[in-house]
Amino acid sequence: MAELRYLEDVVTLECDRDRCIGCGMCSVVCPHGVFVLEERKAVMAARNLCMECGACMRNCPSGAITVEAGEGCVRGVINELLGIEGPCC
Amino acid sequence: MNAPATGNSPGMILPMAKEIPSGAGEFRLPSTDQPFVLGTVVTAVGPVPQIGSELFWRDLRGRYLVRWNIGRDCYSVEPGLYALGHPRDDSPVMVTANYKLTFDLLRQTLSGRDLWILVLDTKGINVWCAAGKGTFGTEELLDRIQASRLAEVVSHRRLIVPQLGAPGLAAFEIQKYAGFRVVYGPVLMEDLPAFLENDCRATPEMRIKKFPLKERLVLVPVEVMQGLQQGIPLMLFFLLVAGLAGDGPFLNAALVHGLPPALSVLTGIIAGTIVTPILLPWIPGRPFSVKGALAGLVLFFLVFIVSGADGSGYFMLEPISWLLITLAVSSWLGMAFTGASTFTSLNGVRKEMLRAMPAQFAGLVLGIGLWGASFWLG
Ligand code: SF4
Ligand code: SF4
């Protein structure tokens, strides 16, 4: 089956190598295999597959990961453009 | 029947072992007066409602209605601790949301096993969406552990939490404040038995969220209903305006000039909410708006050319307006499917929308404009 991929170079995911303590939690919780552990440090091996769910950031005990987490849905973005609070689902 | 526990969470004041903030985490077991409760299991803290794996007709009827987007907002179970089968103090504890569909699937999947199910109050919303909102979250889990006096019910200190709940809760905080170790279970519930048998270890494949045809198909009905909700007023608009503004009797004019654009809207709805989700990996283009428009283009030609309704006999502008209408609708509804997909990011959708929405809007306005103009020119 053809691979499902979304847009390239749009996500806000960043990982601070110096703060990483190599616990590996980010690679456990990520549903798209974005992180791998190399030499006891987390590396973003597939950054473009990130869906900005925020699981890695939330579960990183050292605060090494930042991402603008949110649900990527049309209604949510429209609400945001209109300046009203409204969730996706 | 007891009132369901409300999430009067203590803010960031976290409940420590013996310092319970007043109101929060107050001891409470779920009501046994729920249709799926079979009885109770005696524990150190009292009778815990016992449930089975078998679903009854009303469970299945509810599931069917939910799939079709009917009454899906009030489909919940009471949060708290439940016993599946005959669990003991060393049986695993599974954490889940209080969306009835999730709860039912979980007890079905775990059929034949004895374990504890800790249901969080996610306001009847599934794990993934609730985690995004934070209702399936650290505070709620801490409260629920406290309110169920879980530490007295079980002798171990391990919780199995669905991986898709991870955006909402921090495992290291649960460990720190409640003393329970969070083990993230597989992405798919159907992998749970294998996960449990493998000593609660997930294989790398179990950690990846895929979006197979089976899953996309399940989403189609809800997409169709939402598409119809938006599209039917537009279809009525075309029929009504054509009937009133066209030559001859209302019905005749509505059929001649109103039916084709109404069919165009319907074609766009089918392309955006059925064809796009099903053929998602095979339609070229990364943005969903492009996929939707391409699906609309192909379906338009199938419907209008192959069926013989090729617009001959109409002033040329009219068939062009139909195509524009189909493209605008299918592109818009295709783009809306990003909300249900499992690999689109917020910033990606934002970027796509800012580019696609002007085009979709222009297409629709131009389509309606050309269609209107053809009345005077044709
Ligand atoms: S969760 Fe944080 S500390 Fe742990 S490996 Fe990932 S980046 Fe490093
Ligand atoms: S935000 Fe989600 S998808 Fe992106 S890297 Fe983190 S866990 Fe993976």
Side-chain angles (χ1 to χ4, degrees):
Chain A
M1 181 177 115
E3 194 187 15
L4 283 168
R5 287 185 79 115
Y6 198 42
L7 313 183
E8 303 287 311
D9 296 323
V10 285
V11 296
T12 52
L13 181 72
E14 298 296 342
C15 179
D16 182 345
R17 192 180 166 85
D18 294 333
R19 296 182 84 163
C20 173
I21 55 168
C23 71
M25 203 57 178
C26 49
S27 66
V28 168
V29 295
C30 177
H32 290 290
V34 170
F35 287 97
V36 293
L37 231 49
E38 277 172 20
E39 292 163 9
R40 312 210 45 168
K41 292 280 181 184
V43 176
M44 292 182 283
R47 188 167 177 269
N48 281 323
L49 293 184
C50 173
M51 65 178 300
E52 301 186 319
C53 71
C56 52
M57 174 171 67
R58 177 79 59 146
N59 282 273
C60 173
S62 66
I65 300 173
T66 52
V67 58
E68 190 199 347
E71 297 156 283
C73 91
V74 169
R75 205 194 311 162
V77 175
I78 286 187
N79 287 341
E80 177 189 286
L81 291 174
L82 297 176
I84 49 178
E85 283 283 310
C88 283
C89 55
Chain B
M1 183 171 139
N2 294 332
T6 49
N8 47 351
S9 77
M12 282 319 287
I13 311 160
L14 294 158
M16 307 299 284
K18 285 197 174 62
E19 283 175 4
I20 306 168
S22 60
E26 226 169 83
F27 178 57
R28 168 174 278 160
L29 290 170
S31 160
T32 51
D33 186 19
Q34 298 182 85
F36 49 85
V37 174
L38 303 177
T40 55
V41 166
V42 178
T43 70
V45 303
V48 169
Q50 187 193 38
I51 55 171
S53 288
E54 203 188 332
L55 298 194
F56 299 103
W57 71 268
R58 54 174 168 255
D59 298 316
L60 297 169
R61 178 176 161 271
R63 177 187 296 189
Y64 178 79
L65 292 179
V66 164
R67 291 261 192 262
W68 284 93
N69 209 6
I70 302 162
R72 68 207 290 248
D73 291 336
C74 48
Y75 199 54
S76 58
V77 301
E78 221 177 283
L81 187 66
Y82 293 86
L84 179 69
H86 301 276
R88 298 175 315 174
D89 66 349
D90 59 351
S91 302
V93 181
M94 320 291 299
V95 178
T96 191
N98 78 330
Y99 182 43
K100 178 103 183 340
L101 206 82
T102 309
F103 180 76
D104 283 349
L105 282 175
L106 182 65
R107 60 198 176 103
Q108 248 187 334
T109 307
L110 297 174
S111 161
R113 288 164 199 274
D114 300 310
L115 33 78
W116 304 100
I117 297 181
L118 186 64
V119 177
L120 302 193
D121 185 4
T122 60
K123 318 290 175 208
I125 289 170
N126 70 51
V127 172
W128 171 249
C129 291
K133 286 185 211 301
T135 47
F136 188 97
T138 306
E139 279 176 40
E140 167 62 16
L141 179 53
L142 289 174
D143 274 0
R144 206 55 62 189
I145 291 170
Q146 190 75 257
S148 313
R149 286 166 60 182
L150 188 64
E152 294 167 57
V153 177
V154 294
S155 54
H156 62 84
R157 291 294 175 264
R158 186 170 74 174
L159 301 172
I160 298 168
V161 176
Q163 188 190 328
L164 291 185
L169 65 86
F172 68 93
E173 285 181 336
I174 304 297
Q175 171 82 60
K176 185 170 160 195
Y177 296 111
F180 276 85
R181 189 162 68 89
V182 168
V183 176
Y184 283 110
V187 161
L188 283 187
M189 211 185 276
E190 65 193 48
D191 287 332
L192 258 182
F195 170 85
L196 289 172
E197 261 136 49
N198 192 26
D199 203 17
C200 293
R201 275 192 299 259
T203 62
E205 300 86 72
M206 288 183 194
R207 296 247 167 263
I208 302 297
K209 180 80 194 85
K210 298 190 192 74
F211 200 30
L213 181 62
K214 191 177 72 181
E215 246 171 67
R216 303 199 300 273
L217 274 176
V218 169
L219 295 165
V220 163
V222 168
E223 297 295 314
V224 170
M225 296 302 261
Q226 281 167 358
L228 286 175
Q229 240 168 42
Q230 298 174 17
I232 284 176
L234 194 58
M235 291 160 75
L236 290 177
F237 163 83
F238 284 122
L239 291 169
L240 210 72
V241 172
L244 294 174
D247 299 332
F250 180 90
L251 199 65
N252 192 46
L255 283 179
V256 172
H257 292 287
L259 195 60
L263 264 178
S264 306
V265 175
L266 192 63
T267 305
I269 294 173
I270 294 170
T273 64
I274 301 176
V275 179
T276 304
I278 290 177
L279 298 182
L280 198 68
W282 300 287
I283 304 175
R286 296 277 179 89
F288 283 36
S289 50
V290 171
K291 290 178 187 282
L294 286 174
L297 185 70
V298 173
L299 198 65
F300 180 85
F301 280 101
L302 286 179
V303 169
F304 282 85
I305 310 288
V306 177
S307 73
D310 57 358
S312 51
Y314 284 94
F315 184 63
M316 197 192 60
L317 285 182
E318 233 171 306
I320 294 178
S321 76
W322 305 339
L323 176 61
L324 284 172
I325 290 161
T326 297
L327 291 182
V329 171
S330 67
S331 174
W332 166 256
L333 292 175
M335 192 170 77
F337 192 59
T338 52
S341 82
T342 55
F343 62 98
T344 52
S345 58
L346 170 62
N347 279 284
V349 173
R350 216 183 251 155
K351 180 178 175 187
E352 162 164 11
M353 284 179 71
L354 291 178
R355 291 182 177 192
M357 279 199 310
Q360 291 157 351
F361 187 70
L364 186 65
V365 170
L366 198 65
I368 295 175
L370 285 181
W371 176 74
S374 61
F375 278 126
W376 282 281
L377 300 173

